[in-house]
């Protein structure tokens, strides 16, 4: 496994490839047009193929950690998320991320790398209300 920097276009292409229902369209649009230096992103390569990404803009609006299905539940997401958190810590930027409260796998991953719930909010969308949790270090 190799973890290395990745471009916004590569992140957007990976989001498209994974077709995840949990990744907001706004995140795809952001990374598809983002300039290098506006965000931090890494890709996880196994056998020279991109299998996962973790990225976040420096305003912390568009954070993602996404893996191909076959590589989920194996600790790779935690490795990628920890890599991203360490980068923000080195830059002395507090790391925060928001997850839907019903996204149990993401919540568990965040908790496993030491992030704590700092805020819960009720939000509204066309399908009704839902709860989000903001986690940080």
């Amino acid at each position: 496994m190799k973890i290395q920097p990745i471009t916004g276009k590569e992140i957007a292409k990976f989001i498209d490839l994974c077709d995840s229902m949990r990744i907001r369209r706004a995140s795809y649009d952001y990374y598809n047009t983002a300039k290098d230096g506006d965000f931090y992103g890494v890709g996880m390569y196994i056998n020279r193929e991109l299998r996962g990404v973790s990225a976040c803009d420096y305003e912390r609006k568009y954070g993602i950690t996404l893996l191909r299905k076959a590589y989920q539940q194996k600790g790779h997401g935690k490795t990628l998320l920890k890599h991203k958190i360490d980068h923000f810590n080195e830059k002395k930027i507090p790391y925060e991320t928001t997850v839907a409260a019903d996204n149990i796998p993401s919540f568990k991953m965040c908790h496993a790398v030491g992030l704590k719930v700092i805020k819960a909010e009720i939000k509204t969308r066309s399908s009704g209300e839902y709860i989000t949790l903001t986690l940080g270090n």
Side-chain angles (χ1 to χ4, degrees):
M1 173 176 50
K2 184 176 183 181
I3 295 176
Q4 63 188 46
I6 190 169
T7 68
K9 292 268 188 215
E10 290 170 304
I11 294 167
K13 184 177 177 183
F14 189 78
I15 291 170
D16 229 9
L17 180 69
C18 288
D19 195 31
S20 173
M21 298 301 289
R22 293 214 179 255
I23 302 295
R24 297 177 319 170
R25 181 70 191 183
S27 292
Y28 170 85
D29 291 342
Y30 172 79
Y31 289 110
N32 197 38
T33 60
K35 295 179 177 71
D36 289 343
D38 288 347
F39 68 94
Y40 177 74
V42 291
M44 180 187 73
Y45 294 83
I46 297 176
N47 297 327
R48 298 181 194 208
E49 291 193 36
L50 184 60
R51 301 298 184 191
V53 300
S54 193
C56 191
D57 65 302
Y58 288 107
E59 298 295 318
R60 297 174 313 276
K61 290 181 186 175
Y62 302 103
I64 64 165
T65 298
L66 181 63
L67 294 159
R68 297 296 304 261
K69 284 269 188 228
Y71 295 89
Q72 294 175 5
Q73 302 295 316
K74 294 177 174 33
H76 297 308
K78 285 185 253 184
T79 299
L80 284 168
L81 180 57
K82 185 79 173 111
H83 201 282
K84 180 171 56 177
I85 291 168
D86 289 347
H87 172 80
F88 275 77
N89 286 342
E90 287 170 15
K91 297 269 187 193
K92 307 251 187 282
I93 300 171
Y95 182 78
E96 290 181 4
T97 190
T98 302
V99 299
D102 66 345
N103 188 344
I104 303 303
S106 288
F107 176 79
K108 284 182 175 181
M109 180 178 64
C110 291
H111 189 264
V113 298
L115 298 178
K116 308 283 186 228
V117 175
I118 55 177
K119 180 170 59 171
E121 289 183 278
I122 298 174
K123 296 190 175 184
T124 305
R125 61 179 160 218
S126 59
S127 60
E129 291 184 334
Y130 64 105
I131 298 171
T132 63
L133 303 172
T134 301
L135 298 102
N137 55 357

